Amino acid sequence: MKRIMIVEDDLSLSEGVRLAIASPENEIFQYNNLEAAQVALFEQTMDLILLDINLPDGNGLDFLKEVKATTKTPVILLTANDTEMDVVLGLEYGADDYITKPFSLAILRARVNTQLRRSQEKGQNLITIDAYCFDFDKMEFSKDDQPIELSKTEQRLLRLLVENRGATVMRETLLEKVWGSELEFVDSNTLSVTIKRLRDKLKANEYIKTVYGIGYSWVVN
């Protein structure tokens, strides 16, 4: 189920947009001012936001900037501001798409589906486990929102472990997939040392377990 927020003060247009993108896979939330949208976004996560710029209690661009500062949620601007400078400004504030009014509901539906598909594809490389967030696309890793710097080797090792979490990954598999063509130059103790360094950086003693004589596992609690 995809959660989509519509922030539009023209109630008839908001309802038209809702009907155009309605489907069993989409849960749609409608707000006609910034204050209500801000409260809703604080309370729940959205997969996509359709945002008007000219709203009764403020400028949608300010809300866009706030959204992009705290989330990775894609935003499509729906606005009557149709000059080239308006479009450039919206995109520079972080909008993922810009649609000027009046617009075709069929085109809107297609663009909504495009953003949801892109978000889903990106999400395949974003893994969250308890307090951890591992974004392998952006190479950003954190625990309790605190960034953790990992080397390329540590990133490859971590990815193998978390993508196979709950299962034991054999030493031979880790060595081959992490070091590849450089394997012949790798000391027999290198994997153990890298695992220890990864555990220490992530503070993941409870998660990365050694299966003696076999390999390593990211434990599922």
Side-chain angles (χ1 to χ4, degrees), residues 5 9 31 65 81 149 204 219:
M5 173 186 285
D9 63 320
Y31 304 98
K65 192 172 182 180
N81 299 356
E149 293 294 329
V219 175

Side-chain angles (χ1 to χ4, degrees), residues 61 64 68 75-77 89-98:
L61 291 178
L64 169 62
K68 290 300 180 177
V75 178
I76 300 177
L77 291 176
L89 187 61
L91 295 174
E92 286 185 344
Y93 266 67
D96 297 88
D97 202 349
Y98 194 108

Side-chain angles (χ1 to χ4, degrees), residues 10-149:
D10 184 328
L11 299 184
S12 60
L13 177 58
S14 177
E15 184 62 13
V17 170
R18 185 191 70 80
L19 292 172
I21 63 176
S23 80
E25 293 78 31
N26 295 339
E27 185 177 7
I28 300 170
F29 303 82
Q30 295 169 273
Y31 304 98
N32 60 12
N33 61 71
L34 288 175
E35 182 179 3
Q38 287 168 329
V39 171
L41 193 62
F42 178 78
E43 294 176 344
Q44 55 198 336
T45 301
M46 295 292 166
D47 295 292
L48 177 65
I49 298 173
L50 304 177
L51 175 64
D52 188 14
I53 290 179
N54 302 309
L55 290 158
D57 57 344
N59 190 321
L61 291 178
D62 293 331
F63 182 57
L64 169 62
K65 192 172 182 180
E66 179 183 332
V67 169
K68 290 300 180 177
T70 57
T71 76
K72 294 182 173 64
T73 305
V75 178
I76 300 177
L77 291 176
L78 308 177
T79 175
N81 299 356
D82 58 358
T83 70
E84 181 177 326
M85 184 57 66
D86 289 326
V87 176
V88 169
L89 187 61
L91 295 174
E92 286 185 344
Y93 266 67
D96 297 88
D97 202 349
Y98 194 108
I99 302 177
T100 57
K101 303 174 182 178
F103 50 80
S104 159
L105 291 177
I107 290 176
L108 171 66
R109 188 185 308 113
R111 292 192 175 183
V112 163
N113 290 337
T114 295
Q115 290 301 327
L116 291 175
R117 186 172 60 251
R118 287 177 180 171
S119 181
Q120 183 174 0
E121 290 169 354
K122 290 178 182 178
Q124 293 175 355
N125 290 318
L126 176 64
I127 297 174
T128 57
I129 305 171
D130 297 336
Y132 293 102
C133 182
F134 304 138
D135 189 332
F136 291 97
D137 280 330
K138 296 185 176 182
M139 294 185 289
E140 295 177 351
F141 309 91
S142 65
K143 181 180 182 182
D144 294 319
D145 295 324
Q146 298 301 310
I148 301 168
E149 293 294 329

